[in-house]
Amino acid sequence: MTRLSSLRSALDRKGYREVAVREWRSSVVLEGSLPSWNDRVAAGFVAAGFKYKGVVNDLEVPGLARDRWSEPSLRDGALEGAHFDVVIIGGGIIGASIARELTRYDLSVALLEKQSDLAMHTSGRNDGMIHDGFGARPGTLKARYNVRGNRLWTEDARELGIELKRPGSLVLYPSPAAHLLRPLLSKRARANGVDGWEFWSREKVAREEPALFPEQHGALFLPSAGVVSPYKAVVAYAESAVLNGARVSLDTLVSGFDQEQEADRTRIARVRTNRGTCFARAVVNAAGNWADVVAGLADDRFFSLHPRRGTDAILDLSTGAFLKHIVSMPSFLQSRSRTKGGGLVKTVEGNVLVGPTARELPGREDYATTRGELEELNRHLRLNTRLSPSQIITYFAGVRPCTWEEDFIVERSQQVANLVHAAGIQSPGLASAPAIARDVAALCVDLLSESRQVRPNPRFEPRRQAPTSLGQLSLEERSALIAAHPAYGRVVCRCEQVSEGELVDALHSPIPVSSLDSMKRRTRTGMGRCHGGFCTPRVMEIIARERGIPLEEVTKKGEGSRLLEGPEEPADPPATAPQGEEVSS
Amino acid sequence: MIPRTRWEVVVVGAGPAGLAAACAAHDAGSRVALVEREARAGGILKQCIHDGFGVVRFKEKLTGPEYAHRFLMMAEERGLAVHRETFLLSARRENGRFVLVLESAGQGVFEYETPALVLATGCRERTDRQVSIQGDRPAGIYTAGLAQHFVNVQGRLPGRRAVILGSGDIGLIMARRLTLEGVEVAGVYEVKSEPSGLTRNLRQCLEDFDIPLHLSTTVTEVHGKNRVEAVTVARVDGSMRPIDGTEQRIACDTLIVSVGLIPENETAASLGVPLDPVTKGPFVAQDMMTLVPGVFSCGNALQVNDLVDYVSETGETAGRAAAAWAKKTEKDEVGEASRDPRRLIAVRAGEGVASVVPQFLDAGGERRAPVFFRVKQTMRQGTVCLARTDGGSQVHRRRHLVLRPPEMERFELDLSRLPEGTAEVRLDLAPVEAKRAGAEGSVEEPRKAVGP
Ligand SMILES: Cc1cc2nc3c(=O)[nH]c(=O)nc-3n(C[C@H](O)[C@H](O)[C@H](O)COP(=O)(O)OP(=O)(O)OC[C@H]3O[C@@H](n4cnc5c(N)ncnc54)[C@H](O)[C@@H]3O)c2cc1C
Ligand SMILES: Cc1cc2nc3c(=O)[nH]c(=O)nc-3n(C[C@H](O)[C@H](O)[C@H](O)COP(=O)(O)OP(=O)(O)OC[C@H]3O[C@@H](n4cnc5c(N)ncnc54)[C@H](O)[C@@H]3O)c2cc1C
């Protein structure tokens, strides 16, 4: 039986007779329609079992409109005619870390992001965990990149001034018999190359993590697991890239490529955007949940993504006192399960974060939360006797970009000579980013070297000065700073103790942004227990003053999200549309 | 070195409670520092431009800023300076005294040391997340206090068509305020089966403006990627869970949440002050001293008040007592005074009573003690009775025509009526038996509808 006919009968056995299958290049394409999203997902997973290069799931679900990306309405010519050695599509952790890696070379690099700020999608909506690498299935790219990325985070965090903590992760045994699995656990840790692991008795767990529920049975301890602030990390990488000569263009949507035929392959000559068409010698697809669509723009959609939503809750800062490690209690028997199942994480800021959940849902940018998903998180809260749902100060959802094979794609395109994909970067994508970035940069250098020698950037400065954060200073240093710059002595956000000086710094940083949410991501204003109830007016006034705009033009998260009524927002031409931020050094 | 100044009393927060406390402590002869993190004193009153403040104290209907102004003048007359834009970074105990680490643009980081600390830090608002509203996260979701600030302080409108969640006084007042400013208020939704605001506000803020009030209904979801486009409302069952099938989509561009206030007690908690899980404020005796000797609490930090007059009253009590404490512990350099000298009698909230403040009575303290309480449910014709828990004699008894949870009640207790050796008293509420109703002496007037 051929591979295709085996797949056919597998689908038939599931009752998916109406699904049409065909091979296309090295991939398989599913077409037709199925009654529900769950069926569509199930069919995708069936196809993934047949070892094609990729599964292109084009099945439709009646009544469900095609998912569309959000687009900036800005139209200008900021990029028109510009020449770049590398154009990177997507300003998440992957795109930003790749941009910074590429500035180690003497190359002109542009990072294009369709939103009004970086990290507005998955990279700003996750657990911030630098996984140890134990959870990934041995032999996968995920396992390899995770372990390498985990190690590289130490160096990158130091150079970029990113706060990285390594509290280690406690994986609690779900039953008293689980300690029998120790040899298996060791084998897996060894196979993945995890940096150190220990088995802790229930007494040791109780001693080291006293607030845990008393009925635990001991744990596997993974000391290399860490946490960072994910959105601050993205900003740090991108700022470093800008300081080393890269250009970051926000509000910039890549909508197409002009390609040239070249023997058996094609080559992207120009990248079309709403801000003009630019030239690129190499293109990196780091478009997160839209990476398959972007690949399709180059006629290289050999895979497809399915969005998997995760919901997290954040507890009051005071809860940080009750948790020292990252804690989870997964079922070991589900070694093939598609998520790590979530748990309790203490964020770098010290709040307890609970989650994430995992749900297959159609919207790639749908971050709506539901009561049901939030209630699912209670099972993690029960792991710790001092935590309860009443301590929740906020919750959010993010969407993982998953391939049907459930692994990362980090490779040069087989069809397009100058395209590199960093796609399907689901969890542990944040942990893996430094390693993925190095490999993607190396792939770009390889392909650029085919036409011209690539030299190192003699002016590359690995260190980035982290923004001043008063909380990190001693009282004496703080006082001295205030004496020199009184704005640091005016506290704007009471819950997180953020000063006016820190806000002004963020507004004049290498990637200046000006929405309320972008200020949150950089300074944490409004992220505390009052959730902006008190500081919002002040933050808005400071943004308006520093940007020289009327108060009513301050937005929550860019275009269309004004906070106050003002003179009508003219629909066309968008005179008051967000100023696409354009940065280069 | 961080410069340090010694004070006899430090008051944190210059709202009506803190201003009253500082004036009272000054009048009792103490050297007082009053610190306020905002640029202007007056606390939340600065943005409450409606009238109805001060009916009890001044027998006048003042606006919030006018009421605050009277206290500011009192402070000024006494030469009391408010240390504005001064932020409290942390507080700790040192030899029975308190050391506050403060920060301001002009002075950098500095410390105040004091034997008596009055916390008058007010409250913050509960947010949409704390009532589990789901769906999207667009611009256009504001707490009522934030919306009030936009409108009354900054002179801006938050939107054009608003839905208000919560029928507490701030929500009701905002419904009227927004309507007057030309914002269409699509409706006020209240999850409980009874409105939470004062009757007067229901009439003057909703009925007079034909704004519909929907009881037993809540907002479950917000829709809109960038700006609010609509909300889903649903009826709730007896346990306040949304009932499937009752959902309705209401188009609006603004959601105002007015779902309660939480006393701000992070500083108190950091000093180990035990908090009442019901009021979310510290446990205090009639002198407003918490269970950590030397730390006092008043105003909205102590419990959420609906009448500012009571806020000032607890402020004054705290200020006076703080000054007395400072005098008493003047010569104490080793922290002897950190032992609580009071003989505390516990006051329990009994049948039908949600909360009582003070939660303790100092048997050796002030004889006349105001007692504040809230009931759990509305009751018509009820008798409130404070008695020894062991079934002993009644110390206070009063009949009320109607008691409602949103309205904080107050009575004055004469401690001399408490028998020697009392360890605990309890406040109970009981319906007046039908046959006896009217037979007993004087029936209290229902409380005058005052304040917002
Ligand atoms: C709930 C949750 C918890 C998680 N927790 C962890 C964790 O603890 N640790 C961990 O390692 N990983 C975690 N992950 C996974 C991690 O967040 C992702 O792997 C990572 O953020 C992916 O980064 P990215 O840059 O590929 O995608 P994104 O951050 O989504 O960036 C892609 C960007 O591309 C832009 N874009 C798309 N199309 C275009 C276009 N045509 N033109 C211009 N721009 C475009 C998008 O706007 C977007 O900003 C979690 C994920 C979720 C959802
Ligand atoms: C948003 C909102 C709206 C309200 N609207 C009404 C209304 O319309 N009508 C009504 O009768 N009541 C209203 N109230 C109730 C009102 O708060 C009380 O009646 C009264 O004003 C409380 O006085 P206070 O002094 O205890 O607190 P506040 O007035 O809140 O004053 C506390 C002060 O302490 C300061 N402070 C707090 N922490 C610190 C610190 N760490 N360091 C320095 N300074 C600090 C604050 O900046 C503030 O100025 C409202 C309350 C809120 C929160």
Side-chain angles (χ1 to χ4, degrees), chain A residues 365 368-369 375 393-395 478-479 486 494 529 534 541 552 556-557 560-563 565, chain B residues 37 89 103 109 123-124 129 132-135 137 142 154 156-157 160 225-227 241 264 266:
Chain A
E365 292 184 4
T369 54
E375 284 171 358
I393 57 167
T394 189
Y395 34 90
R478 196 168 171 141
S479 217
R494 55 170 82 175
R529 50 176 73 94
F534 288 110
E541 279 168 4
E552 63 270 12
K556 176 170 160 60
K557 46 182 175 181
S561 66
R562 283 186 176 195
L563 291 147
E565 276 302 304
Chain B
R37 64 177 147 215
L89 292 175
E103 178 182 278
V109 180
C123 37
R124 63 172 179 269
R129 306 306 169 84
S132 196
I133 295 179
Q134 307 294 336
R137 291 300 138 69
Y142 308 107
Q154 290 176 300
R156 307 295 170 126
L157 294 183
R160 297 204 177 281
K225 281 266 170 312
N226 296 315
R227 175 80 200 195
R241 304 261 322 173
E264 293 235 77
E266 277 66 38

Short mmCIF file of all heavy atoms in Angstrom, two decimals, chain A residues 365 368-369 375 393-395 478-479 486 494 529 534 541 552 556-557 560-563 565, chain B residues 37 89 103 109 123-124 129 132-135 137 142 154 156-157 160 225-227 241 264 266:
data_model
loop_
_atom_site.label_atom_id
_atom_site.label_comp_id
_atom_site.label_asym_id
_atom_site.label_seq_id
_atom_site.Cartn_x
_atom_site.Cartn_y
_atom_site.Cartn_z
N GLU A 365 -5.51 34.86 16.42
CA GLU A 365 -5.28 36.07 17.22
C GLU A 365 -6.43 36.26 18.21
O GLU A 365 -6.74 37.38 18.60
CB GLU A 365 -5.12 37.31 16.31
CG GLU A 365 -3.85 37.26 15.48
CD GLU A 365 -3.62 38.52 14.64
OE1 GLU A 365 -4.41 39.47 14.74
OE2 GLU A 365 -2.64 38.52 13.86
N ALA A 368 -9.46 35.82 23.61
CA ALA A 368 -10.57 35.88 24.57
C ALA A 368 -10.37 34.77 25.61
O ALA A 368 -9.95 33.67 25.29
CB ALA A 368 -11.89 35.70 23.84
N THR A 369 -10.68 35.09 26.84
CA THR A 369 -10.59 34.08 27.89
C THR A 369 -11.99 33.58 28.19
O THR A 369 -12.97 34.23 27.88
CB THR A 369 -10.00 34.69 29.17
OG1 THR A 369 -10.78 35.84 29.52
CG2 THR A 369 -8.56 35.09 28.97
N GLU A 375 -11.27 28.16 35.26
CA GLU A 375 -11.55 27.23 36.35
C GLU A 375 -10.66 26.00 36.28
O GLU A 375 -10.35 25.39 37.30
CB GLU A 375 -13.04 26.85 36.35
CG GLU A 375 -13.87 28.01 36.92
CD GLU A 375 -15.37 27.84 36.77
OE1 GLU A 375 -15.80 26.84 36.18
OE2 GLU A 375 -16.09 28.75 37.23
N ILE A 393 -5.16 38.43 40.16
CA ILE A 393 -5.33 39.84 39.81
C ILE A 393 -5.61 40.01 38.32
O ILE A 393 -6.19 40.99 37.91
CB ILE A 393 -4.14 40.74 40.22
CG1 ILE A 393 -2.82 40.26 39.62
CG2 ILE A 393 -4.02 40.83 41.74
CD1 ILE A 393 -1.71 41.29 39.74
N THR A 394 -5.20 39.06 37.51
CA THR A 394 -5.54 39.15 36.09
C THR A 394 -5.32 37.80 35.42
O THR A 394 -4.79 36.88 36.03
CB THR A 394 -4.72 40.24 35.38
OG1 THR A 394 -5.24 40.41 34.05
CG2 THR A 394 -3.25 39.88 35.29
N TYR A 395 -5.77 37.71 34.19
CA TYR A 395 -5.57 36.49 33.42
C TYR A 395 -5.49 36.88 31.96
O TYR A 395 -5.94 37.96 31.56
CB TYR A 395 -6.70 35.49 33.66
CG TYR A 395 -8.05 36.12 33.87
CD1 TYR A 395 -8.89 36.37 32.80
CD2 TYR A 395 -8.48 36.48 35.14
CE1 TYR A 395 -10.13 36.96 32.98
CE2 TYR A 395 -9.72 37.08 35.34
CZ TYR A 395 -10.54 37.32 34.26
OH TYR A 395 -11.75 37.92 34.44
N ARG A 478 19.62 55.05 44.57
CA ARG A 478 18.34 55.61 44.17
C ARG A 478 18.29 57.10 44.49
O ARG A 478 17.87 57.92 43.68
CB ARG A 478 17.28 54.84 44.97
CG ARG A 478 15.89 54.97 44.48
CD ARG A 478 15.05 53.92 45.20
NE ARG A 478 13.67 54.19 44.89
CZ ARG A 478 12.77 53.24 44.65
NH1 ARG A 478 13.09 51.98 44.71
NH2 ARG A 478 11.53 53.57 44.36
N SER A 479 18.74 57.43 45.69
CA SER A 479 18.72 58.82 46.13
C SER A 479 19.61 59.68 45.24
O SER A 479 19.24 60.80 44.86
CB SER A 479 19.17 58.89 47.58
OG SER A 479 18.46 59.87 48.26
N PRO A 486 15.25 64.43 39.05
CA PRO A 486 14.13 64.35 39.99
C PRO A 486 12.95 63.50 39.49
O PRO A 486 12.19 62.97 40.31
CB PRO A 486 13.70 65.81 40.16
CG PRO A 486 14.90 66.61 39.78
CD PRO A 486 15.65 65.81 38.78
N ARG A 494 1.81 53.03 41.69
CA ARG A 494 2.06 52.72 43.09
C ARG A 494 2.26 51.23 43.34
O ARG A 494 3.08 50.86 44.17
CB ARG A 494 0.92 53.24 43.95
CG ARG A 494 -0.45 52.75 43.53
CD ARG A 494 -1.49 53.09 44.55
NE ARG A 494 -1.96 54.45 44.42
CZ ARG A 494 -2.94 54.96 45.14
NH1 ARG A 494 -3.55 54.22 46.03
NH2 ARG A 494 -3.34 56.19 44.97
N ARG A 529 -1.68 45.19 41.42
CA ARG A 529 -2.98 44.76 41.94
C ARG A 529 -4.11 45.71 41.60
O ARG A 529 -5.24 45.28 41.45
CB ARG A 529 -2.88 44.52 43.44
CG ARG A 529 -2.25 45.63 44.24
CD ARG A 529 -2.30 45.30 45.72
NE ARG A 529 -1.37 44.25 46.09
CZ ARG A 529 -0.14 44.48 46.54
NH1 ARG A 529 0.30 45.73 46.66
NH2 ARG A 529 0.65 43.48 46.87
N PHE A 534 -5.37 53.55 39.27
CA PHE A 534 -4.85 54.84 39.73
C PHE A 534 -3.91 55.51 38.74
O PHE A 534 -3.93 56.71 38.57
CB PHE A 534 -4.12 54.68 41.06
CG PHE A 534 -5.04 54.41 42.22
CD1 PHE A 534 -5.05 53.17 42.84
CD2 PHE A 534 -5.87 55.41 42.70
CE1 PHE A 534 -5.89 52.92 43.92
CE2 PHE A 534 -6.72 55.17 43.77
CZ PHE A 534 -6.73 53.92 44.39
N GLU A 541 -0.97 61.05 30.50
CA GLU A 541 -0.48 62.43 30.42
C GLU A 541 1.00 62.48 30.06
O GLU A 541 1.43 63.32 29.27
CB GLU A 541 -0.71 63.15 31.77
CG GLU A 541 -2.14 63.64 31.92
CD GLU A 541 -2.48 64.09 33.34
OE1 GLU A 541 -1.57 64.09 34.20
OE2 GLU A 541 -3.64 64.43 33.58
N GLU A 552 -6.32 62.63 23.94
CA GLU A 552 -7.27 61.65 23.38
C GLU A 552 -6.64 60.80 22.28
O GLU A 552 -7.25 59.85 21.82
CB GLU A 552 -8.55 62.33 22.91
CG GLU A 552 -8.38 63.34 21.79
CD GLU A 552 -8.12 64.74 22.33
OE1 GLU A 552 -7.85 64.91 23.54
OE2 GLU A 552 -8.18 65.69 21.53
N LYS A 556 -4.61 52.39 23.84
CA LYS A 556 -4.28 51.26 24.70
C LYS A 556 -3.27 50.35 24.03
O LYS A 556 -2.30 49.93 24.63
CB LYS A 556 -5.54 50.46 25.05
CG LYS A 556 -5.24 49.22 25.88
CD LYS A 556 -6.54 48.61 26.40
CE LYS A 556 -6.39 47.16 26.80
NZ LYS A 556 -5.41 46.94 27.85
N LYS A 557 -3.52 50.05 22.74
CA LYS A 557 -2.60 49.14 22.05
C LYS A 557 -2.51 49.44 20.57
O LYS A 557 -2.61 48.54 19.76
CB LYS A 557 -3.01 47.69 22.30
CG LYS A 557 -4.50 47.42 22.12
CD LYS A 557 -4.77 45.95 22.44
CE LYS A 557 -6.24 45.64 22.41
NZ LYS A 557 -6.54 44.27 22.74
N GLY A 560 -6.95 52.23 16.57
CA GLY A 560 -8.32 51.82 16.87
C GLY A 560 -8.59 51.59 18.34
O GLY A 560 -9.68 51.12 18.70
N SER A 561 -7.61 51.86 19.21
CA SER A 561 -7.83 51.55 20.62
C SER A 561 -7.66 52.78 21.49
O SER A 561 -7.06 52.74 22.55
CB SER A 561 -6.89 50.43 21.07
OG SER A 561 -5.55 50.86 21.03
N ARG A 562 -8.22 53.91 21.03
CA ARG A 562 -8.16 55.13 21.84
C ARG A 562 -8.88 54.93 23.16
O ARG A 562 -9.88 54.21 23.22
CB ARG A 562 -8.82 56.27 21.09
CG ARG A 562 -7.96 56.82 20.00
CD ARG A 562 -8.65 58.02 19.43
NE ARG A 562 -7.83 58.65 18.43
CZ ARG A 562 -8.07 59.87 17.98
NH1 ARG A 562 -9.10 60.55 18.43
NH2 ARG A 562 -7.29 60.38 17.07
N LEU A 563 -8.38 55.62 24.16
CA LEU A 563 -8.94 55.46 25.50
C LEU A 563 -10.01 56.50 25.80
O LEU A 563 -10.88 56.28 26.63
CB LEU A 563 -7.80 55.55 26.52
CG LEU A 563 -6.86 54.36 26.45
CD1 LEU A 563 -5.44 54.75 26.79
CD2 LEU A 563 -7.34 53.24 27.36
N GLU A 565 -12.64 59.85 24.37
CA GLU A 565 -13.31 60.48 23.24
C GLU A 565 -12.55 61.74 22.88
O GLU A 565 -12.06 62.46 23.75
CB GLU A 565 -14.73 60.89 23.65
CG GLU A 565 -15.74 59.78 23.53
CD GLU A 565 -15.81 59.24 22.13
OE1 GLU A 565 -16.04 60.03 21.20
OE2 GLU A 565 -15.63 58.02 21.96
N ARG B 37 1.15 60.77 48.60
CA ARG B 37 1.94 60.49 47.40
C ARG B 37 1.50 61.33 46.19
O ARG B 37 2.25 61.53 45.25
CB ARG B 37 1.87 59.02 47.05
CG ARG B 37 0.51 58.53 46.69
CD ARG B 37 0.60 57.07 46.30
NE ARG B 37 -0.60 56.38 46.68
CZ ARG B 37 -0.64 55.13 47.09
NH1 ARG B 37 0.46 54.44 47.21
NH2 ARG B 37 -1.78 54.56 47.38
N LEU B 89 8.01 53.88 50.44
CA LEU B 89 8.59 52.71 49.77
C LEU B 89 8.44 51.47 50.63
O LEU B 89 8.12 50.40 50.15
CB LEU B 89 10.07 52.95 49.49
CG LEU B 89 10.41 54.00 48.44
CD1 LEU B 89 11.92 54.19 48.37
CD2 LEU B 89 9.87 53.59 47.08
N GLU B 103 10.25 58.54 49.64
CA GLU B 103 10.96 59.05 48.47
C GLU B 103 10.19 60.23 47.89
O GLU B 103 8.96 60.19 47.83
CB GLU B 103 11.03 57.93 47.44
CG GLU B 103 11.69 58.31 46.14
CD GLU B 103 11.67 57.14 45.16
OE1 GLU B 103 12.54 56.28 45.27
OE2 GLU B 103 10.77 57.10 44.32
N VAL B 109 15.67 59.74 48.66
CA VAL B 109 15.20 58.75 49.62
C VAL B 109 15.53 59.22 51.03
O VAL B 109 16.64 59.66 51.28
CB VAL B 109 15.85 57.38 49.34
CG1 VAL B 109 15.36 56.33 50.33
CG2 VAL B 109 15.56 56.93 47.91
N CYS B 123 -8.71 53.30 49.83
CA CYS B 123 -8.87 52.00 49.17
C CYS B 123 -8.63 52.07 47.68
O CYS B 123 -8.48 53.14 47.11
CB CYS B 123 -10.22 51.37 49.45
SG CYS B 123 -11.60 52.43 49.53
N ARG B 124 -8.56 50.91 47.09
CA ARG B 124 -8.48 50.83 45.63
C ARG B 124 -9.74 50.15 45.15
O ARG B 124 -10.48 49.58 45.95
CB ARG B 124 -7.23 50.06 45.19
CG ARG B 124 -7.23 48.61 45.62
CD ARG B 124 -6.06 47.83 45.00
NE ARG B 124 -6.07 46.46 45.45
CZ ARG B 124 -5.44 46.01 46.53
NH1 ARG B 124 -4.74 46.84 47.28
NH2 ARG B 124 -5.50 44.74 46.85
N ARG B 129 -11.26 42.08 36.35
CA ARG B 129 -10.70 40.73 36.48
C ARG B 129 -11.14 40.08 37.78
O ARG B 129 -11.20 38.86 37.88
CB ARG B 129 -9.18 40.76 36.47
CG ARG B 129 -8.61 41.46 35.29
CD ARG B 129 -9.15 40.87 34.01
NE ARG B 129 -8.79 41.73 32.89
CZ ARG B 129 -7.65 41.66 32.28
NH1 ARG B 129 -6.74 40.80 32.64
NH2 ARG B 129 -7.39 42.46 31.27
N SER B 132 -14.23 38.30 37.31
CA SER B 132 -14.17 37.26 36.30
C SER B 132 -14.89 37.59 35.00
O SER B 132 -15.59 36.75 34.45
CB SER B 132 -14.69 35.94 36.88
OG SER B 132 -14.29 34.88 36.05
N ILE B 133 -14.73 38.81 34.51
CA ILE B 133 -15.28 39.11 33.19
C ILE B 133 -14.35 38.52 32.14
O ILE B 133 -13.14 38.68 32.22
CB ILE B 133 -15.45 40.63 33.00
CG1 ILE B 133 -16.50 41.14 33.99
CG2 ILE B 133 -15.88 40.95 31.56
CD1 ILE B 133 -16.75 42.62 33.92
N GLN B 134 -14.93 37.84 31.17
CA GLN B 134 -14.12 37.13 30.18
C GLN B 134 -14.22 37.83 28.83
O GLN B 134 -14.81 38.89 28.71
CB GLN B 134 -14.59 35.68 30.08
CG GLN B 134 -14.64 34.95 31.41
CD GLN B 134 -13.27 34.75 32.03
OE1 GLN B 134 -12.25 34.73 31.32
NE2 GLN B 134 -13.22 34.60 33.33
N GLY B 135 -13.64 37.19 27.83
CA GLY B 135 -13.70 37.73 26.47
C GLY B 135 -12.47 38.53 26.11
O GLY B 135 -11.39 38.27 26.62
N ARG B 137 -9.89 41.95 25.37
CA ARG B 137 -9.28 42.97 26.24
C ARG B 137 -9.07 44.28 25.50
O ARG B 137 -7.94 44.73 25.36
CB ARG B 137 -7.91 42.48 26.71
CG ARG B 137 -7.93 41.35 27.64
CD ARG B 137 -8.70 41.74 28.89
NE ARG B 137 -9.56 40.64 29.29
CZ ARG B 137 -9.13 39.49 29.76
NH1 ARG B 137 -7.87 39.26 29.93
NH2 ARG B 137 -9.98 38.57 30.09
N TYR B 142 -13.17 50.48 32.10
CA TYR B 142 -12.63 51.33 33.16
C TYR B 142 -13.32 51.05 34.48
O TYR B 142 -14.51 50.76 34.50
CB TYR B 142 -12.82 52.81 32.81
CG TYR B 142 -12.29 53.18 31.44
CD1 TYR B 142 -13.17 53.46 30.40
CD2 TYR B 142 -10.93 53.23 31.21
CE1 TYR B 142 -12.68 53.78 29.13
CE2 TYR B 142 -10.44 53.54 29.96
CZ TYR B 142 -11.32 53.81 28.92
OH TYR B 142 -10.83 54.12 27.68
N GLN B 154 -9.94 65.42 34.47
CA GLN B 154 -9.29 65.72 33.20
C GLN B 154 -10.24 66.33 32.17
O GLN B 154 -9.80 66.76 31.11
CB GLN B 154 -8.64 64.44 32.64
CG GLN B 154 -7.43 64.01 33.48
CD GLN B 154 -6.84 62.70 33.00
OE1 GLN B 154 -7.51 61.68 32.98
NE2 GLN B 154 -5.58 62.73 32.60
N ARG B 156 -12.47 64.84 30.28
CA ARG B 156 -12.57 64.04 29.06
C ARG B 156 -13.64 62.99 29.23
O ARG B 156 -13.92 62.56 30.35
CB ARG B 156 -11.25 63.29 28.77
CG ARG B 156 -10.05 64.16 28.74
CD ARG B 156 -10.14 65.12 27.58
NE ARG B 156 -9.08 66.10 27.71
CZ ARG B 156 -8.21 66.36 26.74
NH1 ARG B 156 -8.30 65.72 25.60
NH2 ARG B 156 -7.27 67.25 26.93
N LEU B 157 -14.19 62.54 28.11
CA LEU B 157 -15.19 61.48 28.18
C LEU B 157 -14.56 60.14 27.81
O LEU B 157 -13.77 60.06 26.86
CB LEU B 157 -16.34 61.78 27.22
CG LEU B 157 -17.17 63.00 27.60
CD1 LEU B 157 -18.33 63.16 26.63
CD2 LEU B 157 -17.69 62.86 29.03
N ARG B 160 -18.87 56.94 24.21
CA ARG B 160 -20.15 57.53 23.83
C ARG B 160 -21.36 56.74 24.32
O ARG B 160 -22.45 57.27 24.49
CB ARG B 160 -20.25 57.63 22.29
CG ARG B 160 -19.21 58.53 21.70
CD ARG B 160 -19.66 59.07 20.34
NE ARG B 160 -18.65 59.99 19.84
CZ ARG B 160 -18.54 61.24 20.24
NH1 ARG B 160 -19.37 61.71 21.17
NH2 ARG B 160 -17.60 62.01 19.75
N LYS B 225 -11.84 43.84 19.44
CA LYS B 225 -10.40 43.60 19.44
C LYS B 225 -9.64 44.82 19.97
O LYS B 225 -8.77 44.70 20.80
CB LYS B 225 -9.90 43.28 18.03
CG LYS B 225 -10.16 41.84 17.60
CD LYS B 225 -8.95 40.96 17.89
CE LYS B 225 -9.20 39.48 17.73
NZ LYS B 225 -10.37 38.91 18.33
N ASN B 226 -9.99 45.99 19.44
CA ASN B 226 -9.23 47.19 19.80
C ASN B 226 -9.98 48.08 20.78
O ASN B 226 -9.42 48.56 21.74
CB ASN B 226 -8.88 47.97 18.54
CG ASN B 226 -7.95 47.17 17.64
OD1 ASN B 226 -7.00 46.57 18.12
ND2 ASN B 226 -8.25 47.11 16.37
N ARG B 227 -11.26 48.33 20.48
CA ARG B 227 -12.08 49.13 21.37
C ARG B 227 -13.35 48.31 21.65
O ARG B 227 -13.79 47.55 20.79
CB ARG B 227 -12.44 50.45 20.68
CG ARG B 227 -13.39 51.36 21.44
CD ARG B 227 -12.70 52.16 22.53
NE ARG B 227 -13.70 52.62 23.50
CZ ARG B 227 -13.52 53.57 24.41
NH1 ARG B 227 -12.36 54.16 24.50
NH2 ARG B 227 -14.47 53.90 25.25
N ARG B 241 -24.25 32.35 39.47
CA ARG B 241 -23.64 31.82 38.25
C ARG B 241 -24.53 32.21 37.07
O ARG B 241 -25.75 32.11 37.16
CB ARG B 241 -23.55 30.28 38.29
CG ARG B 241 -22.82 29.74 39.49
CD ARG B 241 -21.40 29.37 39.24
NE ARG B 241 -21.11 28.74 37.95
CZ ARG B 241 -19.87 28.48 37.54
NH1 ARG B 241 -18.85 28.79 38.30
NH2 ARG B 241 -19.66 27.90 36.38
N GLU B 264 -6.70 49.55 51.23
CA GLU B 264 -5.28 49.36 50.89
C GLU B 264 -4.50 49.14 52.18
O GLU B 264 -4.34 50.07 52.96
CB GLU B 264 -4.74 50.60 50.19
CG GLU B 264 -5.36 50.82 48.83
CD GLU B 264 -4.31 50.93 47.75
OE1 GLU B 264 -3.77 49.86 47.36
OE2 GLU B 264 -4.02 52.04 47.31
N GLU B 266 -1.40 47.16 52.28
CA GLU B 266 -0.13 46.48 52.03
C GLU B 266 0.92 46.90 53.06
O GLU B 266 1.70 46.09 53.53
CB GLU B 266 0.36 46.77 50.61
CG GLU B 266 -0.27 45.87 49.56
CD GLU B 266 -1.76 46.09 49.39
OE1 GLU B 266 -2.20 47.26 49.47
OE2 GLU B 266 -2.50 45.11 49.21
#
